[in-house]
Amino acid sequence: MLLMGAVAYDPKVVTIWSRFREWLTARGLPFDFVLYSNYERQVEDLIEGRVHLAWNSPLAWVRARRLAGRRGPEVRPLLMRDTDRDLTSLIVVRDASPYTSVADLKGETVAVGALDSPQSALIPLSYLRGQGVVPGEDVSVRRFDVGVGLHGDDIGGERRAAAALAAGEVAAACLIDANHLLFARENVLPPGGTRVLAQTAPYDHCNMTVAGSAPAALVDRFAELLLSMSFADPEVRPLLELEGLKAWVEGRDTGYDALEAAVDEAGFYDASGRITADDYTP
């Protein structure tokens, strides 16, 4: 039996992986999944061998890699969604605001999502540091800790950061590019009422992390089956749409450098994967 971990950030996760299990088992793969309430426990169970695979957030991948370096076994990103590659985070301001560069935000307040959100906290705050604007010193940070432990998968904190910007409570908000568009469609942000002050370099998001101790033949068959899924197949398309992709692609570990740096700057994990953020309780 190939066993995968997934974090239940939303009730739809049960539906998604139940339907994937039906599809996989119908093709002869003995597959099941375990749900977790937070990524930290999931990563620890992956490293301890209690699950073979973990559908990991980017931050969970960073911790898994670091823990594996200390405890073993080796881990690698087996698969990703096509929608997990080359994403960016934005620093957004109201269109009528006077700011023309991130340097203009000095002395102001910037809103972010939950403290463990790569896309709306860790990476954009690291970007500000790289531009000479130090969070907590040059700018105040207003954090919306919704769904802590879910690594930003619950976008409630990000949505509240956007709402604070729309209400004029903060000078800027940090959002992933797709959510900037989503929040405008939801009227959380006034359509056309915001503009992008800065955009980070591209980075990668979730990946299917596999431990080196997992049964190789089952892992290979799992990857083969998922990579074979076609968006043109009427049976498969609803499954892919549920999980927010058009195709599974080979995993890669080259899109996480910005997050690795952000984790170190924030003191979130140490080099061995231990949680070192003082105010983080998943």
Side-chain angles (χ1 to χ4, degrees):
M1 177 68 68
L2 188 66
L3 193 59
M4 185 202 78
V7 170
Y9 66 89
D10 186 277
K12 71 179 181 180
V13 173
V14 178
T15 302
I16 290 169
W17 287 107
S18 293
R19 293 183 63 179
F20 268 93
R21 178 177 59 189
E22 291 173 6
W23 188 86
L24 291 165
T25 56
R27 283 151 185 80
L29 181 71
F31 172 84
D32 205 353
F33 63 94
V34 178
L35 295 179
Y36 291 86
S37 64
N38 66 80
Y39 278 106
E40 308 309 334
R41 177 63 59 83
Q42 175 171 288
V43 168
E44 290 163 5
D45 277 7
L46 176 69
I47 300 303
E48 294 298 327
R50 298 185 185 97
V51 293
H52 304 120
L53 302 155
W55 186 218
N56 270 340
S57 75
L59 186 59
W61 158 252
V62 168
R63 188 177 185 216
R65 187 193 64 76
R66 294 185 182 202
L67 280 176
R70 177 163 65 96
R71 302 184 198 173
E74 180 183 353
V75 296
R76 61 187 173 94
L78 179 69
L79 298 169
M80 307 173 78
R81 300 171 299 185
D82 56 347
T83 49
D84 282 314
R85 291 185 168 189
D86 300 320
L87 308 180
T88 62
S89 290
L90 310 175
I91 299 172
V92 179
V93 297
R94 292 181 300 281
D95 188 53
S97 71
Y99 314 113
T100 60
S101 72
V102 293
D104 296 336
L105 295 175
K106 289 185 177 182
E108 303 290 353
T109 299
V110 175
V112 301
L115 83 162
D116 59 344
S117 172
Q119 63 264 16
S120 66
L122 289 163
I123 289 175
L125 292 179
S126 175
Y127 175 87
L128 285 176
R129 290 187 197 95
Q131 298 298 308
V133 180
V134 181
E137 296 180 12
D138 297 319
V139 293
S140 298
V141 177
R142 184 175 176 187
R143 206 172 70 205
F144 293 94
D145 282 335
V146 177
V148 173
L150 302 179
H151 294 186
D153 282 356
D154 183 330
I155 63 171
E158 206 168 335
R159 185 178 281 108
R160 288 176 62 184
L165 175 66
E169 298 170 5
V170 296
C174 299
L175 313 170
I176 198 168
D177 46 14
N179 283 343
H180 183 221
L181 299 175
L182 172 66
F183 297 153
R185 291 197 299 270
E186 294 178 342
N187 290 317
V188 175
L189 292 172
T194 61
R195 57 185 166 85
V196 175
L197 188 66
Q199 184 171 24
T200 69
Y203 56 84
D204 286 353
H205 210 261
C206 299
N207 73 61
M208 187 70 72
T209 308
V210 59
S213 59
L218 294 181
V219 169
D220 290 346
R221 181 60 175 155
F222 175 78
E224 178 186 25
L225 285 169
L226 263 61
L227 289 170
S228 75
M229 298 179 90
S230 171
F231 199 70
D233 183 337
E235 180 186 4
V236 166
R237 183 169 183 164
L239 276 70
L240 298 179
E241 289 178 327
L242 274 172
E243 186 52 36
L245 70 154
K246 290 189 175 179
W248 292 99
V249 297
E250 297 282 352
R252 64 184 187 185
D253 61 5
T254 55
Y256 299 98
D257 289 349
L259 183 56
E260 292 272 10
V263 165
D264 289 335
E265 291 168 10
F268 202 91
Y269 303 132
D270 69 11
S272 298
R274 285 184 289 258
I275 298 171
T276 48
D278 292 335
D279 50 355
Y280 180 49
T281 305

